[in-house]
Coordinates of all heavy atoms in Angstrom, one line a residue:
Y297 N 10.0 14.0 8.4 CA 11.1 14.1 7.4 C 11.9 12.8 7.5 O 12.2 12.3 8.6 CB 12.0 15.2 7.5 CG 11.2 16.6 7.5 CD1 11.0 17.4 8.6 CD2 10.5 17.0 6.3 CE1 10.2 18.5 8.5 CE2 9.7 18.1 6.3 CZ 9.6 18.9 7.4 OH 8.8 20.0 7.4
T298 N 12.5 12.4 6.4 CA 13.5 11.4 6.3 C 14.6 11.7 5.5 O 14.5 12.7 4.6 CB 12.8 10.0 5.6 OG1 12.4 10.3 4.4 CG2 11.7 9.4 6.5
Y299 N 15.7 11.1 5.6 CA 17.0 11.5 5.0 C 17.6 10.3 4.2 O 17.7 9.2 4.8 CB 18.0 12.1 5.9 CG 17.4 13.3 6.7 CD1 16.6 13.1 7.8 CD2 17.7 14.5 6.2 CE1 16.1 14.3 8.4 CE2 17.2 15.7 6.8 CZ 16.4 15.5 8.0 OH 15.8 16.6 8.6
K300 N 17.9 10.5 3.0 CA 18.6 9.4 2.1 C 19.1 10.1 0.9 O 18.7 11.1 0.5 CB 17.6 8.3 1.9 CG 16.4 8.7 1.0 CD 15.4 7.5 0.9 CE 14.1 8.0 0.1 NZ 13.2 6.9 -0.1
K301 N 20.0 9.3 0.2 CA 20.5 9.8 -1.0 C 19.4 9.8 -2.1 O 18.6 8.9 -2.2 CB 21.7 8.9 -1.5 CG 23.0 9.6 -1.6 CD 24.0 8.7 -2.1 CE 25.4 9.4 -2.4 NZ 26.5 8.6 -2.8
G302 N 19.5 10.8 -3.0 CA 18.5 10.9 -4.0 C 18.9 11.5 -5.3 O 20.2 11.4 -5.7
D303 N 18.1 12.4 -5.8 CA 18.5 13.2 -7.0 C 19.5 14.2 -6.7 O 19.5 14.8 -5.8 CB 17.2 13.8 -7.5 CG 17.3 14.3 -8.9 OD1 18.0 15.3 -9.2 OD2 16.7 13.8 -9.9
P304 N 20.5 14.4 -7.8 CA 21.5 15.5 -7.6 C 20.9 16.9 -7.5 O 21.5 17.7 -6.8 CB 22.3 15.4 -9.0 CG 22.0 14.0 -9.4 CD 20.7 13.7 -9.0
S305 N 19.7 17.1 -7.9 CA 19.0 18.3 -7.7 C 18.3 18.5 -6.3 O 17.7 19.5 -6.1 CB 17.9 18.5 -8.8 OG 18.5 18.6 -10.1
G306 N 18.3 17.5 -5.5 CA 17.7 17.5 -4.2 C 18.7 17.6 -3.1 O 19.8 17.5 -3.2
I307 N 18.2 17.9 -1.9 CA 19.0 18.1 -0.8 C 19.1 16.7 0.1 O 19.7 16.8 1.3 CB 18.3 19.2 0.1 CG1 17.0 18.9 0.8 CG2 18.4 20.5 -0.7 CD1 16.5 19.9 1.7
G308 N 18.5 15.7 -0.3 CA 18.6 14.5 0.4 C 17.7 14.4 1.6 O 17.8 13.5 2.5
K309 N 16.7 15.3 1.5 CA 15.6 15.3 2.6 C 14.3 15.0 2.0 O 14.0 15.8 1.0 CB 15.7 16.6 3.3 CG 14.8 16.8 4.4 CD 14.9 18.1 5.1 CE 14.0 18.4 6.3 NZ 14.2 19.7 6.9
W310 N 13.4 14.2 2.6 CA 12.2 13.8 2.0 C 11.1 14.1 2.8 O 11.1 13.9 4.0 CB 12.2 12.3 1.6 CG 13.4 11.8 0.7 CD1 14.6 11.8 1.0 CD2 13.3 11.3 -0.6 NE1 15.5 11.4 -0.1 CE2 14.5 11.1 -1.1 CE3 12.1 11.1 -1.4 CZ2 14.8 10.6 -2.4 CZ3 12.4 10.6 -2.7 CH2 13.7 10.3 -3.3
Y311 N 9.9 14.5 2.2 CA 8.7 14.8 2.9 C 7.5 14.1 2.2 O 7.3 14.3 0.9 CB 8.5 16.3 3.0 CG 7.2 16.7 3.6 CD1 6.9 16.4 5.0 CD2 6.2 17.3 2.9 CE1 5.8 16.6 5.7 CE2 5.0 17.6 3.6 CZ 4.8 17.3 4.9 OH 3.6 17.8 5.6
M312 N 6.9 13.2 2.8 CA 5.7 12.5 2.3 C 6.0 11.9 0.9 O 5.2 11.9 0.0 CB 4.5 13.5 2.2 CG 4.2 14.0 3.5 SD 2.5 14.8 3.6 CE 1.3 13.3 3.6
G313 N 7.2 11.3 0.8 CA 7.6 10.6 -0.4 C 8.1 11.4 -1.4 O 8.5 10.9 -2.5
R314 N 8.3 12.7 -1.2 CA 8.9 13.6 -2.2 C 10.2 14.2 -1.7 O 10.3 14.7 -0.6 CB 7.9 14.8 -2.5 CG 8.5 15.9 -3.3 CD 7.5 17.1 -3.4 NE 7.3 17.8 -2.1 CZ 8.0 18.7 -1.6 NH1 9.1 19.1 -2.2 NH2 7.6 19.3 -0.4
E315 N 11.2 14.2 -2.6 CA 12.5 14.8 -2.2 C 12.5 16.3 -2.5 O 12.0 16.7 -3.4 CB 13.8 14.2 -3.0 CG 15.0 14.7 -2.5 CD 16.2 14.1 -3.2 OE1 16.0 13.3 -4.3 OE2 17.4 14.3 -2.7
I316 N 13.0 17.0 -1.4 CA 12.9 18.5 -1.5 C 14.1 18.9 -2.4 O 15.2 18.5 -2.3 CB 13.2 19.1 -0.1 CG1 11.8 18.6 0.8 CG2 13.3 20.6 -0.1 CD1 12.1 18.9 2.2
A317 N 13.8 19.9 -3.3 CA 14.8 20.4 -4.2 C 15.7 21.5 -3.6 O 15.3 22.1 -2.7 CB 14.1 20.8 -5.4
H318 N 16.8 21.6 -4.3 CA 17.7 22.8 -3.9 C 17.0 24.1 -4.1 O 16.3 24.1 -5.1 CB 19.1 22.7 -4.6 CG 20.0 21.7 -4.0 ND1 20.6 21.9 -2.8 CD2 20.5 20.5 -4.4 CE1 21.4 20.9 -2.5 NE2 21.4 20.0 -3.5
V319 N 17.2 25.0 -3.4 CA 16.7 26.4 -3.7 C 17.5 27.1 -4.9 O 18.8 26.9 -5.0 CB 16.9 27.4 -2.4 CG1 16.6 28.8 -2.8 CG2 16.1 26.8 -1.3
M320 N 16.7 27.7 -5.7 CA 17.4 28.4 -6.9 C 18.0 29.7 -6.3 O 17.3 30.5 -5.7 CB 16.3 28.8 -7.9 CG 16.9 29.3 -9.2 SD 15.8 30.0 -10.3 CE 15.5 31.6 -9.6
G321 N 19.3 29.8 -6.5 CA 20.0 31.0 -5.9 C 19.7 32.3 -6.6 O 19.3 32.3 -7.7
Y322 N 20.1 33.3 -5.9 CA 19.9 34.7 -6.4 C 20.7 35.0 -7.7 O 20.4 35.9 -8.5 CB 20.2 35.7 -5.4 CG 21.8 35.9 -5.0 CD1 22.6 36.7 -5.8 CD2 22.3 35.0 -4.1 CE1 23.8 36.8 -5.5 CE2 23.6 35.1 -3.8 CZ 24.5 36.0 -4.6 OH 25.8 36.0 -4.3
Q323 N 21.7 34.1 -7.9 CA 22.5 34.3 -9.1 C 21.8 34.1 -10.4 O 22.1 34.7 -11.4 CB 23.7 33.3 -9.1 CG 24.7 33.5 -7.9 CD 24.3 32.7 -6.7 OE1 23.2 32.2 -6.6 NE2 25.2 32.6 -5.7
R324 N 20.6 33.4 -10.3 CA 19.8 33.3 -11.5 C 18.6 34.2 -11.5 O 17.5 34.0 -12.2 CB 19.2 31.8 -11.5 CG 20.3 30.8 -11.7 CD 19.7 29.5 -12.1 NE 19.1 29.4 -13.3 CZ 18.3 28.5 -13.8 NH1 17.9 27.4 -13.0 NH2 17.7 28.6 -14.9
M325 N 18.8 35.3 -10.8 CA 17.7 36.3 -10.8 C 17.2 36.8 -12.2 O 16.0 37.1 -12.4 CB 18.2 37.6 -9.9 CG 17.1 38.5 -9.5 SD 17.8 39.9 -8.6 CE 18.7 39.1 -7.2

């Protein structure tokens, strides 16, 4: 993993060139 600023929908953590997205919360059940 690497860490850098990215998309607002992401957590700033990257894996194999892909930024990991925020989890969709239970509020959108």
Side-chain angles (χ1 to χ4, degrees):
Y297 307 110
T298 56
Y299 300 84
K300 59 183 177 179
K301 238 181 175 182
D303 192 291
S305 297
I307 65 172
K309 182 177 182 179
W310 300 70
Y311 178 62
M312 300 192 76
R314 172 183 64 86
E315 186 176 9
I316 297 167
H318 280 292
V319 172
M320 190 190 79
Y322 70 91
Q323 297 87 348
R324 296 195 64 196
M325 195 183 301

